[in-house]
Amino acid sequence: MTDIAPTVGAPDDRIELAPDAFPADSPFANDDLRPVPLAERRWTTYNFAALWIGMAVNVPSWTLAAGLVALGMDWKQSVLTIALGNVIVLLPMLLTGHAGPKYGIPFPVLARASFGLRGANLPALLRGLVACAWFGIQTWIGGQSIFFLAGKLFGAGSWWTDAGKLGGYPWTQWLCFLLFFAVEIVIILRGMEAVRRLENWAAPLMLAGAVALLVWIADKAGGFGPLLDQPSQLGWGADFWKVFFPALMGMIGFWSTLSLNIPDFTRFGAGQKAQVWGQTLGLPTTMAAFALLSVLVTSGAQAVYGEPIWDPSQLAARMDSTVGVLFALFVLLLATLSTNIAANLVSPAYDLSNLAPKLITFRSGAIIACFIGVVIFPWKLIENPDIYIFTWLGTVGGLLGTVAGILIADYWIVRRTRLDLRGLYSGPGSPYWYGSGWNWRALVAFGAGAVLAVGGSYSNVDADGNKAGPFPADGLIPFLQPLADYGWAVGLGTSLVLYVALMASAAPRPADRV
């Protein structure tokens, strides 16, 4: 029988590496990627629930319902779609999150078990680049919030609002963008403990701020506007289902990124109950409630101003009270800050560190991710609901769902949650070395799942024949177009089944025989 790597276990099945379990000069380890010691795994149910409240309460989440209403749904259909999508994505979130509290490892290290010690860089960089794009979106939104609300304080026609333009935007808005960018760097450089403290304080304050905005607009409106009574343009027939399924995949795609790298956070968990209950209480409930709240507030804006104002920063800028504007500014910045750091900087920091552990630390990886996010400038993705929900979220969700299928299949079906912890940090001779550090079976499963998930990606065409997106109207691969609306589910299911089938013929794994 082959011995598993030297480990120390806890009564609740959590495991940590014994001292000197692998060479200190291993090219696959640094202090940030090593398993978190048992004594430092202390995140509670509240910490995980607060994490999700902090990440879910943000401007893009607020405007999700708006995007669905713009596509023809009524408020009930949009909230239902968002709630269902988040219940579905919670399942892979809990499954991949299991390895965090048990082994104390981040996402790129978990991916080594299936993709290989070197091959893990493929899903890690894919996830990291998506996070960098999201970081750019959220940083721009944060700077934009400062600009709008500061403009309210200085007044219309002031030097602030009428500043000269650079690249189509006032230089004062660029200043706000850089200021917000700098604040994010300062926080992430303080490490994961700073992230935990930020989320703990941000969650209750942001919920209070959202409720305060609702009370304010309800008071001005004397009730809620016509949006709640507005009928669906799609009904509940065939027209609705044509929009519902791709929209549902888009809602799943919104958090499909975190369904991969959630071990980056659960590795600090005090146990499985903490991560399971914390995520269950924090994610689907917050997203559904926040979507409903956004619809109610926007309907109030419809009644007061004669038009639906979906951007909370623009709505807050219409407040008459200076104190109210300052409070709204604080809440919006806190919401964007907590989401961007936790959801979009932690992952690429680990992912880039995994690329070259001896050269890139968590902090230097975060700095690199910040500048990639700025160079990409991806905020134009959210200007059009068709592009935002179908093209961006749908395509990203399909690719990342494929990776999730492989991780779940390997950890739960192939290995039954048993990993050779030392082997994840060793070189040749490790059970995860496969062929020169790459597991061809995972690559085949990923390739097949990705082609089926996004190969049929297409762009909608309006009545005038204009495309709303970069893809051909009949799909990249026309005969796969019918699968495009179900990209996340197709990618996850295909890669999971194919990976299990391919691994069935692989050599026995030492950790499985212990």
Side-chain angles (χ1 to χ4, degrees), residues 494-513:
T494 300
S495 63
L496 187 150
V497 172
L498 184 55
Y499 182 82
V500 171
L502 292 172
M503 288 298 289
S505 61
R509 291 155 298 280
D512 296 337
R513 298 203 301 264

Side-chain angles (χ1 to χ4, degrees), residues 430-481:
S430 163
Y432 313 117
W433 187 244
Y434 300 106
S436 300
W438 294 79
N439 182 5
W440 66 266
R441 299 168 186 84
L443 298 179
V444 170
F446 173 76
V451 169
L452 292 179
V454 304
S457 296
Y458 64 95
S459 298
N460 290 318
V461 179
D462 61 23
D464 297 325
N466 300 314
K467 289 195 308 176
F471 302 120
D474 57 350
L476 290 171
I477 304 175
F479 74 90
L480 292 179
Q481 183 181 357

Side-chain angles (χ1 to χ4, degrees), residues 183-408:
V183 171
E184 292 173 316
I185 291 180
V186 170
I187 294 176
I188 196 64
L189 286 179
R190 299 180 66 86
M192 286 297 293
E193 184 61 21
V195 174
R196 184 181 72 89
R197 289 197 297 267
L198 172 66
E199 301 299 336
N200 285 348
W201 285 100
L205 287 174
M206 287 187 295
L207 288 177
V211 172
L213 188 62
L214 174 63
V215 171
W216 169 73
I217 197 66
D219 179 66
K220 291 187 69 68
F224 296 107
L227 190 60
L228 293 182
D229 298 324
Q230 181 178 337
S232 169
Q233 299 176 25
L234 305 173
W236 289 95
D239 290 339
F240 169 74
W241 297 111
K242 289 179 181 178
V243 174
F244 171 76
F245 285 109
L248 180 65
M249 293 300 107
M251 297 308 102
I252 294 172
F254 191 80
W255 289 122
S256 63
T257 51
L258 267 294
S259 69
L260 293 185
N261 76 286
I262 194 64
D264 293 344
F265 301 95
T266 61
R267 66 191 299 229
F268 297 97
Q272 295 298 341
K273 288 184 178 179
Q275 73 103 359
V276 170
W277 282 107
Q279 293 200 79
T280 302
L281 293 173
L283 173 58
T285 53
T286 301
M287 287 295 291
F290 204 54
L292 177 60
L293 192 63
S294 72
V295 172
L296 293 176
V297 170
T298 305
S299 69
Q302 172 82 30
V304 175
Y305 301 109
E307 61 176 332
I309 304 173
W310 287 101
D311 187 335
S313 63
Q314 295 188 28
L315 180 60
R318 301 200 180 197
M319 290 182 174
D320 298 324
S321 167
T322 300
V323 174
V325 171
L326 290 174
F327 177 71
L329 174 62
F330 174 73
V331 172
L332 284 169
L333 293 181
L334 191 62
T336 306
L337 190 65
S338 63
T339 299
N340 216 18
I341 290 177
N344 301 322
L345 275 187
V346 171
S347 173
Y350 283 124
D351 297 337
L352 291 170
S353 181
N354 187 72
L355 182 65
K358 295 305 180 185
L359 298 176
I360 304 175
T361 65
F362 175 85
R363 288 172 174 80
S364 59
I367 295 298
I368 295 171
C370 287
F371 283 97
I372 292 176
V374 171
V375 171
I376 291 176
F377 285 157
W379 50 83
K380 289 187 178 296
L381 292 167
I382 62 175
E383 290 181 349
N384 184 303
D386 279 313
I387 295 177
Y388 179 43
I389 293 177
F390 295 140
T391 304
W392 170 243
L393 293 180
T395 302
V396 166
L399 291 175
L400 298 184
T402 301
V403 176
I406 294 172
L407 295 184
I408 293 170

